[in-house]
Amino acid sequence: MIRLLRIILFPISIIYALIMWLRNRLYDWRLLKSTAFKFPVVVIGNLAVGGTGKSPMAEYILRLINPHKDIMLLSRGYGRKTKGFREVSIHDSAALVGDEPLQIKRKFGSTQVYVCEDRVFALNKIGSSGSGVLLDDAYQHRALKPSFSILLFDYKSLLKPMLPLPTGNFRDTLLESKRASLIVVTKCPHRTDQKIRRLIEQKLQQYTTAPIFFSAISYQQLQNSQGQALPLAAISTYQALLITGIAKPAPLRDHLSSHLQQLTHINFKDHHTFSAADLDAIKTDFAALKCDDKIIITTEKDYQRLPESFINTFPVYTVPIEQRILFGGQALFDSLLLRAFNIQS
């Protein structure tokens, strides 16, 4: 039914693509204004809707840059119930600042994190003193002219027809990859076929001269709210209830299934706000697990939206993830990022 609806909506996709093309050309022709800044402004983004790994990439960059200089992070704060400019505190809620900015702030406590829909307004407000700002999900924010742009593509999306919304999942066409300073193909299989890798490179190189890197997700050990680790090797006799509200939960579900005795999955839409009814349903499903060794597993992003009372009552564990650059590209990748923030590698 959904597939049929997308086919029916194809004429709207053509109109949408034409509107987005015209919008981008107006910025390229300087008929619409893009604001540049004197300090490093590094943007992470994608052309598709969600699920490319922007948050793990932001964390990768913060781990790389933080030992050299303090940079700030600016996000739209998707899913928050507030509007306007706001600095993120570790004591905030996801409703105030969004789940992803809150996750970053809690993991990188010394990093100043801000949310604002208007990135130019926010950058003018916070300044930078030359240290630099990292922007999460701002590739399409053409009112801003970044000094360096990182464009992410989900591996599987490049193996399918890349159709615009609403028939497909792309907000822009591949033509817009020409603005990227570097490109990362994310969520690659750990054994990526060399021929497929070359086909992807050739596909992208029709539109861009930016260096292309490939990355994979590296799942870390489960952790509870006290930071205590639960190794995957220790959960083979466990039953678990997996709660997700992310764009593409299948890879995580498959990863965990291979390590657990039984996995039950409750899937919500991306950035879902957990209601009292949702929490009651989760409690019921958890109680139904017939095993003494049972836990609740969720993503770091979803964890930010769970009430503290729930986390303190149930054995809730998160699965931290990290980006891993493949095929020997990490040294060059890191050096390009360091230079983007005016750091000599």
Side-chain angles (χ1 to χ4, degrees), residues 77 79-83 86 92-99 102 273 304-305:
R80 65 186 174 126
K81 306 302 182 184
T82 60
K83 293 184 178 181
R86 183 183 181 95
D92 282 333
S93 66
L96 285 174
V97 298
D99 48 21
L102 185 57
T273 300
Q304 314 306 321
R305 287 180 269 108

Side-chain angles (χ1 to χ4, degrees), residues 131-254:
S131 62
V133 179
L134 177 64
L135 285 89
D136 179 19
D137 198 14
Y139 193 82
Q140 272 99 11
H141 200 78
R142 294 299 306 271
L144 167 69
K145 187 175 183 180
S147 56
F148 195 89
S149 296
I150 302 165
L151 181 58
L152 308 183
F153 287 97
D154 175 84
Y155 171 84
K156 289 185 178 179
S157 74
L158 291 169
L159 304 180
K160 304 174 183 177
M162 303 176 75
L163 300 173
L165 293 167
T167 299
N169 294 321
F170 278 79
R171 296 179 285 187
D172 264 325
T173 66
L174 271 180
L175 175 64
E176 302 313 317
S177 61
K178 67 181 182 180
R179 294 186 279 113
S181 305
L182 67 80
I183 290 173
V184 185
V185 181
T186 64
K187 300 184 179 181
C188 296
H190 290 278
R191 293 184 178 179
T192 303
D193 185 274
Q194 190 171 358
K195 289 183 180 178
I196 295 178
R197 174 186 165 192
R198 187 60 194 143
L199 285 173
I200 288 174
E201 289 175 332
Q202 290 172 345
K203 187 174 189 176
L204 293 173
Q205 285 167 348
Q206 296 178 60
Y207 304 94
T208 180
T209 58
I212 301 168
F213 297 88
F214 293 79
S215 74
I217 288 176
S218 176
Y219 293 104
Q220 307 301 299
Q221 295 185 112
L222 301 178
Q223 287 189 353
N224 63 14
S225 58
Q226 287 77 45
Q228 297 170 330
L230 183 60
L232 290 175
I235 63 173
S236 59
T237 60
Y238 279 56
Q239 293 184 13
L241 180 64
L242 174 63
I243 306 166
T244 58
I246 57 176
K248 297 176 181 177
L252 174 60
R253 183 187 63 231
D254 295 343

Side-chain angles (χ1 to χ4, degrees), residues 39-102:
F39 49 84
V41 175
V42 177
V43 163
I44 304 171
N46 54 356
L47 299 183
V49 178
T52 56
K54 292 184 295 294
S55 291
M57 180 57 67
E59 291 185 10
Y60 182 103
I61 295 170
L62 289 173
R63 290 190 190 98
L64 176 68
I65 303 300
N66 277 348
H68 303 277
K69 63 162 60 174
D70 294 327
I71 61 172
M72 305 174 191
L73 183 131
L74 174 61
S75 174
R76 181 180 182 274
Y78 188 84
R80 65 186 174 126
K81 306 302 182 184
T82 60
K83 293 184 178 181
F85 177 83
R86 183 183 181 95
E87 182 171 4
V88 180
S89 162
I90 59 172
H91 303 295
D92 282 333
S93 66
L96 285 174
V97 298
D99 48 21
E100 290 166 335
L102 185 57

Side-chain angles (χ1 to χ4, degrees), residues 268 274-284 306-307 310:
F268 299 94
F274 297 110
S275 66
D278 293 331
L279 295 173
D280 286 340
I282 291 169
K283 293 173 186 177
T284 300
L306 287 171
F310 180 89

Side-chain angles (χ1 to χ4, degrees), residues 105-123:
K105 182 61 182 179
R106 288 175 172 173
K107 294 183 77 170
F108 300 88
S110 62
T111 298
Q112 291 176 270
V113 179
Y114 299 90
V115 291
C116 190
E117 303 91 329
D118 188 332
R119 309 325 198 270
V120 173
F121 172 84
L123 288 169

